[in-house]
Amino acid sequence: MKAIKLASVFAVTAVAAAVSTATFAADAIITGEAGVEYVQYHGSASDTKGDTADGTDLGELELHVDTGIVYAELEFKTTGEDEGTDINMEKLYVKQGAVSFGRFDGSVATGAFMGMDEIFSGVDTRDNRVVNKETDNTGIRYKVTPEFTVAVEASGSRNVRVSKAAVTAGGVVVTPAVTSQEKIDSEIGVALSYVKDFGVVKLGVSAGAIGDTNAYNIGAQTTVGMATISANYGAGKTIDDVDTDSSSATTDVEQAQINIALAVTDALTLTYEYARDLENSGKAGKADHVDATYFIAEYAVGDLTYYYKNYNGDAELNSDIGKNIVGVKVFF
């Protein structure tokens, strides 16, 4: 009797596994890119970085699986090392009607940023310098309408530096000064995004707040002939550097960006992006305009795309500022 029961259990398990595998296989899509490029640094970047010619940064495979209930996005990406590979779960969430639960790629608070986001990608409620800054590890999203999304998001825990002064007695140090790290718990907040295409122009607004941080972004996009023009503005308060004496130290952020994409022909596309750090421009020790530009020219021949890229401006806006790239790649 036990043998029959065990056989039944194994049979049911095998069928369930087969059905599950078939479901995933039927809805799996693999995309990626590969190619080769030459990178040449200029300006201050040339002092710390060496020119390189390889395609290691272009190797990527993404597996997208959608069962209707579960959505997963798994990324295999080269690290630049010989045969080195990073494997990351970019998205993994479950869906119940208009509600989704799980890990997402990015915050709803940045949903209004439009066009190319090479320099700025929208003001988020966590600063890039902070460990476990992401608000996409845990989230609940509800699509009220196709244009309007509200979300509950959570940040990761983070380190805070705690300094204790030395204790002395009679001029003798009894307890020396100590600096240690303490963990601040995850914080939970809310975010929303509303983006609607009115035909002539597409407009969007998005915002979020978690703990002492907040952010809002406004975006607009229109098409005039061969040109697609996008303009974005973002502002808010983000958490300061991870090694701080305060659990609630924040930094004001204000940035603007515009980009223009020209579809010159079916094969040739030219894109220009200009970004400015409005919060720091003109402040003590800063230039009148803390800004940067990004230009890309792409020419498609069959399945291959040949391109030239140029980053220029203040390195504070992007670590890639001061760089030229020539390359060829293919998307598949």
Side-chain angles (χ1 to χ4, degrees):
M1 181 67 69
K2 289 183 178 179
I4 294 174
K5 286 183 177 180
L6 283 173
S8 299
V9 169
F10 284 132
V12 171
T13 303
V15 171
V19 171
S20 176
T21 302
T23 302
F24 271 73
D27 298 298
I29 299 174
I30 296 178
T31 61
E33 67 175 53
V36 65
E37 62 184 22
Y38 172 69
V39 182
Q40 180 263 325
Y41 292 95
H42 60 85
S44 59
S46 64
D47 297 331
T48 57
K49 299 181 179 182
D51 298 347
T52 182
D54 58 42
T56 54
D57 292 334
L58 299 177
E60 181 177 304
L61 284 173
E62 283 193 357
L63 174 63
H64 308 258
V65 178
D66 190 351
T67 69
I69 299 174
V70 177
Y71 180 83
E73 191 172 303
L74 185 63
E75 179 191 65
F76 302 81
K77 186 175 179 62
T78 57
T79 63
E81 302 295 330
D82 185 26
E83 299 183 359
T85 303
D86 273 339
I87 301 177
N88 299 296
M89 182 65 73
E90 290 195 339
K91 299 177 185 178
L92 181 61
Y93 56 86
V94 296
K95 297 178 286 185
Q96 180 68 55
V99 182
S100 301
F101 311 83
R103 173 184 171 83
F104 302 91
D105 186 13
S107 168
V108 170
T110 62
F113 246 60
M114 301 183 192
M116 185 175 62
D117 59 358
E118 189 70 25
I119 301 176
F120 290 144
S121 57
V123 178
D124 201 348
T125 49
R126 280 292 183 271
D127 187 87
N128 287 332
R129 295 168 295 178
V130 179
V131 177
N132 291 331
K133 72 179 181 66
E134 293 84 358
T135 55
D136 55 9
N137 289 334
T138 304
I140 303 173
R141 296 185 176 184
Y142 173 50
K143 250 186 161 5
V144 182
T145 68
E147 300 85 11
F148 184 38
T149 302
V150 296
V152 175
E153 299 179 345
S155 67
S157 60
R158 62 189 179 87
N159 293 324
V160 172
R161 185 178 65 208
V162 177
S163 300
K164 296 181 179 179
V167 177
T168 60
V172 179
V173 176
V174 178
T175 304
V178 177
T179 299
S180 61
Q181 296 277 357
E182 289 187 3
K183 281 285 188 182
I184 298 296
D185 295 337
S186 289
E187 295 177 308
I188 298 175
V190 296
L192 59 87
S193 173
Y194 183 82
V195 180
K196 184 174 178 61
D197 192 341
F198 294 93
V200 177
V201 62
K202 183 165 71 172
L203 300 174
V205 59
S206 57
I210 296 180
D212 296 303
T213 69
N214 60 75
Y216 66 90
N217 298 280
I218 302 170
Q221 186 177 82
T222 188
T223 299
V224 182
M226 68 175 70
T228 298
I229 305 169
S230 306
N232 301 292
Y233 172 84
K237 290 181 179 293
T238 62
I239 289 292
D240 268 341
D241 189 64
V242 61
D243 192 17
T244 179
D245 291 317
S246 172
S247 62
S248 60
T250 58
T251 296
D252 292 331
V253 179
E254 185 180 11
Q255 54 190 220
Q257 183 166 283
I258 184 170
N259 56 75
I260 304 172
L262 294 175
V264 181
T265 67
D266 291 340
L268 179 62
T269 303
L270 305 176
T271 307
Y272 176 82
E273 182 169 88
Y274 172 77
R276 179 181 293 184
D277 180 351
L278 299 174
E279 175 62 29
N280 291 305
S281 292
K283 284 191 173 181
K286 305 288 185 180
D288 289 340
H289 304 308
V290 179
D291 52 12
T293 63
Y294 171 73
F295 171 77
I296 178 172
E298 294 182 308
Y299 188 76
V301 179
D303 293 328
L304 298 180
T305 299
Y306 297 84
Y307 58 90
Y308 165 74
K309 300 180 180 181
N310 169 267
Y311 299 77
N312 202 13
D314 295 293
E316 293 179 355
L317 269 66
N318 190 296
S319 61
D320 286 325
I321 297 302
K323 184 166 73 171
N324 293 306
I325 304 174
V326 176
V328 57
K329 61 184 176 183
V330 61
F331 297 99
F332 56 90

